[in-house]
Amino acid sequence: MSKILHIPDVKLSGLQMIEASAGTGKTWTIAALYLRLLLERALPVEKILVVTYTNAATAELRARIRLRLVEAQQACVAGDAGEDEVLQDIFKRVKPAQAQVLLTLALESFDLAAIHTIHGFCQRALAERAFESGMAFDSELARDDRRVLHEAVEDFWRREIVSNDDPVWLGWLLAQLPGPAVLLQQLSAQFGKPYLLLVPAPPVDEKAGLNFAATFSRVQSLWAREGDAAIAQLLEHPGMNQTSHKPGQIRAAAEACAAWLQGSATLPMPEVLERLSARKLTEKTKKGNTPPEHIVFAALEELLDAALAAEAAFAAKLGHLLQRALAECEANVRAARQRSATRSFDDLLLDLHAALQSEGGPLLAEALRQRYAAALIDEFQDTDPLQYEIFAQIFSPQPVVETVAAVPVASGQTLSLFDEVAPASAPQSGLLIFVGDPKQAIYSFRGADLRAYMQARQQAGDPLVLNTNRRSTAELIAVVNTLFGQSPRPFLDEDLAFEKVQAPDTAPAPILLDGKPLPALDLGFMPRG
């Protein structure tokens, strides 16, 4: 069960989930939590990690957080939080003078603030922890590595075409995949996703293609001898269904069949060939009449069955080809990048995930936990299993161990940088907060994985919800609540419910047309053709 989010009540440790629909103040909330971490836990800006998924969103977050700190600093100088409820609550635990010092330090060092895209975070983590991650120091980020991917796909395509001597299979394949560009388009959504569950392609009937070619050759000769006589007999038959087998339809089917049989054995077959098969002619003969019989019609039925079996076998063969192409092209692309000491954006995620899963993974995760004491992950609905596992492994709740450089102690001894020092108060665990809107994860174009989000939600416990939409009119909010509230499963998923939002007293006024408010929602109906 979800709980309404109240900024002062949010725990600054552990794993938590915040769910926020559009217009409910997600960025404002992240900035407020950042302010609390800065003042209540006295964390420097470089130890508060903020991650989002685009450069534009990163720039906006950085600007909004900095503005929040400037406003808080001005309030500290004045010694009055004014109407800022978040700062009012903070001042109950932190004196304004102390807060002012912390804010001044934060603003002076804000260039060091760890506010990154997901790829920027991975790049920094690998570069700063090259020893722990086992990655090269001097790899360069390739902003556009499509050329390497194109070359890998083109090489695979050439090998596949040149090494194959089955003209029937190649003809069918080229009808499905006219060239390497189409193959790349087929595979592009799967590159860089090792977590995908590849359903095994069905077994291939290797004899189906040979059987089709042999049947085609036999029927080709038979049609040349008997085709005209068979069609003439069919045209004279009085009992054929006049919806599907009018004379004009029969002639058109015969012409298409003749044209196909004049060439070499190719697939797919003309769809109208089925109209001349013995099975279809029997089905379309009127009651009380004897179906037309001719050796050609029986032979066409046999050819039809052989063609269908060959197409099924080729479809299975294509499935194996695509899976092999994906594996080989990914391996070749990775090898090419290693040779040129470059990384793609996908490689950053793959490399960090692999490093965390390696033997040195625990050491790397611990180093990153020491580097970042808190993490706020924005737009988390756009996550996938790879990204979720990275954050979960790094920022799983762990006690924070405070360390200091050489500090004088009794009897003239000193503590080294690597000695543990007991903090003045009980140790606080690290903080990991996921912020997102799961409704947005249902759109395939976002490339998100709803199940990964749901797994994170389950581990985080009851989500904290922002339930006030400050962007839309009250009328629109009421309409959306009513519309989606009609169904118990509006998003066709048992785990994804619709959370109603409310409008504040300061909601925007409705748009007026000729002095009258426009309806919040219009329903239009289009007649079916």
Side-chain angles (χ1 to χ4, degrees), residues 70-248:
V70 169
E71 292 172 348
Q73 184 191 44
Q74 293 171 347
C76 290
V77 172
D80 182 8
E83 298 181 359
D84 190 332
E85 295 181 359
V86 174
L87 205 53
Q88 289 173 5
D89 183 79
I90 292 174
F91 282 173
K92 296 176 184 176
R93 292 177 291 279
V94 182
K95 294 180 180 179
Q98 181 184 355
Q100 182 179 348
V101 172
L102 292 171
L103 287 165
T104 300
L105 290 173
L107 288 168
E108 289 179 350
S109 59
F110 199 71
D111 286 346
L112 302 176
I115 304 172
H116 310 300
T117 63
I118 173 68
H119 297 101
F121 161 69
C122 291
Q123 185 179 20
R124 288 172 180 267
L126 290 167
E128 293 176 359
R129 301 294 172 183
F131 281 118
E132 294 92 336
S133 66
M135 298 297 168
F137 283 93
D138 57 350
S139 62
E140 179 184 351
L141 181 61
R143 298 287 175 179
D144 184 358
D145 64 340
R146 288 175 296 181
R147 180 183 59 81
V148 177
L149 189 55
H150 277 252
E151 288 178 354
V153 173
E154 287 170 356
D155 287 344
F156 176 88
W157 181 259
R158 280 191 292 269
R159 290 195 304 271
E160 188 65 28
I161 297 300
V162 171
S163 65
N164 204 294
D165 58 357
D166 183 348
V168 181
W169 155 247
L170 286 179
W172 183 89
L173 176 62
L174 289 171
Q176 309 300 314
L177 297 175
V182 180
L183 175 60
L184 177 60
Q185 186 178 12
Q186 291 262 344
L187 299 177
S188 59
Q190 282 76 46
F191 283 117
K193 295 180 173 61
Y195 52 84
L196 288 179
L197 176 62
L198 297 180
V199 179
V204 179
D205 181 359
E206 299 291 353
K207 296 181 180 180
L210 297 174
N211 180 56
F212 165 73
T215 305
F216 183 93
S217 180
R218 181 162 50 83
V219 175
Q220 188 179 47
S221 299
L222 178 63
W223 180 272
R225 297 193 311 270
E226 302 288 343
D228 290 344
I231 296 303
Q233 176 185 326
L234 182 57
L235 289 169
E236 294 173 1
H237 194 285
M240 297 310 300
N241 184 300
Q242 291 303 295
T243 300
S244 61
H245 284 73
K246 296 176 181 178

Side-chain angles (χ1 to χ4, degrees), residues 331-467:
N332 290 337
V333 166
R334 296 276 285 176
R337 288 171 183 157
Q338 288 176 358
R339 289 193 299 269
S340 61
T342 60
R343 280 194 183 109
S344 71
F345 285 107
D346 284 342
D347 287 336
L348 296 172
L349 287 164
L350 292 167
D351 288 349
L352 183 55
H353 182 266
L356 288 167
Q357 301 299 320
S358 68
E359 184 178 350
L363 183 62
L364 173 60
E366 178 58 30
L368 290 170
R369 275 193 292 273
Q370 292 293 331
R371 172 71 170 83
Y372 304 106
L376 308 174
I377 314 301
D378 187 22
E379 300 288 3
F380 188 67
Q381 75 275 352
D382 289 340
T383 194
D384 59 36
L386 205 69
Q387 298 167 14
Y388 168 62
E389 288 176 12
I390 288 173
F391 291 124
Q393 187 163 349
I394 295 174
F395 299 107
S396 56
Q398 300 282 341
V400 174
V401 178
E402 301 291 338
T403 60
V404 294
V407 177
V409 294
S411 69
Q413 297 177 344
T414 61
L415 293 174
S416 74
L417 180 65
F418 303 100
D419 290 327
E420 296 185 4
V421 180
S425 57
Q428 226 172 352
S429 66
L431 172 68
L432 174 58
I433 294 182
F434 295 128
V435 184
D437 180 4
K439 298 187 296 299
Q440 297 184 43
I442 67 176
Y443 299 107
S444 61
F445 70 85
R446 300 183 74 102
D449 188 303
L450 183 58
R451 298 271 67 83
Y453 182 98
M454 291 304 180
Q455 183 183 352
R457 177 202 268 179
Q458 184 178 13
Q459 293 192 358
D462 295 338
L464 304 172
V465 176
L466 294 170
N467 71 332

Side-chain angles (χ1 to χ4, degrees), residues 274-336:
E274 183 184 12
R275 187 170 290 169
L276 302 179
S277 67
R279 183 168 51 242
K280 181 61 70 173
L281 291 174
T282 299
E283 178 187 326
K284 295 300 181 181
T285 300
K286 298 176 183 178
K287 290 182 179 180
N289 290 271
T290 303
E293 294 183 5
H294 196 284
I295 188 174
V296 168
F297 303 144
L300 288 175
E301 181 174 324
E302 186 181 353
L303 180 57
L304 171 65
D305 291 340
L308 291 174
E311 288 188 320
F314 290 165
K317 194 171 182 177
L318 176 60
H320 288 278
L321 182 147
L322 290 174
Q323 292 189 357
R324 186 158 38 87
L326 179 62
E328 291 185 19
C329 291
E330 280 207 311
N332 290 337
V333 166
R334 296 276 285 176

Side-chain angles (χ1 to χ4, degrees), residues 457-503:
R457 177 202 268 179
Q458 184 178 13
Q459 293 192 358
D462 295 338
L464 304 172
V465 176
L466 294 170
N467 71 332
T468 302
N469 184 321
R470 294 174 171 80
R471 185 183 302 165
S472 305
T473 65
E475 292 78 9
L476 179 58
I477 292 170
V479 166
V480 172
N481 284 339
T482 302
L483 181 64
F484 283 90
Q486 298 298 310
S487 171
R489 294 193 311 139
F491 306 111
L492 305 181
D493 191 297
E494 295 288 352
D495 298 325
L496 189 56
F498 173 70
E499 297 279 354
K500 291 186 176 182
V501 296
Q502 63 186 20

